[in-house]
Amino acid sequence: STRGQTTTLVKIFAAVGVEFRLLRAERSLIVLIPLVIVLSIFDLAFFRVAPEISYSVTYASGTANALLLFLVGLIIFFTGEAMHRDREVKVQPIVWSTPAPNSVFLLSKCFATALVALSLLAVVCVLAIVIQVLRGHTPVDFTAYVVIYGVVVVPSIVFVTSMVVALNALLRNKYATYVVAVGAAAGLLYLYNIGYNHWSYNPLLYRLWTYADLTSSTMLTRRLYCLGVAAALLAFAHLVFERKR
């Protein structure tokens, strides 16, 4: 049978594996990943670290804040590559003739891009811990890393990936999506820096959190709001997706 929720889930997992391998084979990763890693940990590795609550909180916060900006750019461009690859290599009619719902095509690209971003986050996390140990800033509080990355970075990755998938589905042009996404990110960053920084239009919580806030009910509400908007964006992407049902 080619129908049913179980069959659809199997197709999504299989498609995620294919999309992830294709993204992993991108030559730009050879340059981007070392660059992002170095820039994310540079300050902590070579300059004096002044702990706020603990060294672990400082290391995790520093890498999270630095990495988020790079992840936004990486997600924008890698999602565009994933969404338009089939058309560019002229296999889209063959792929779209597969007996699978649109969710398989959209969610597989969304999840694969998010998986690349999460893999990079895991690498940066391990390196931050190693640097903390090598610099003698022990003990290592693994809870701080889990809380900061889990509350701040992971929902942000989910939101940005969903937003870029929706933009690609709506605009149907890779370069137009790049312009709109990068322009929107730059515009919001400017607004955040001049004081317009409300959490309702700042889902990445840029300059809007402290470690003490991360376990509060208010923060839980804000992250659920972020994930809810991400789900709504994916639903919108299904509505405007070019492939017919």
Side-chain angles (χ1 to χ4, degrees), residues 135-216:
R135 297 196 66 181
H137 297 155
T138 53
V140 177
D141 182 5
F142 294 101
T143 302
Y145 285 92
V146 172
V147 170
I148 291 175
Y149 290 154
V151 175
V152 178
V153 185
V154 174
S156 300
I157 290 173
V158 174
F159 171 81
V160 176
T161 308
S162 302
M163 181 190 69
V164 180
V165 167
L167 278 176
N168 276 284
L170 175 64
L171 299 176
R172 301 178 183 178
N173 183 283
K174 180 170 65 175
Y175 300 105
T177 303
Y178 289 163
V179 171
V180 173
V182 172
L188 288 173
L189 187 62
Y190 172 76
L191 291 176
Y192 299 156
N193 285 324
I194 64 175
Y196 296 95
N197 201 21
H198 193 265
W199 62 269
S200 61
Y201 52 87
N202 184 2
L204 274 63
L205 300 179
Y206 179 74
R207 294 186 175 179
L208 205 59
W209 62 274
T210 63
Y211 183 69
D213 298 330
L214 296 183
T215 55
S216 66

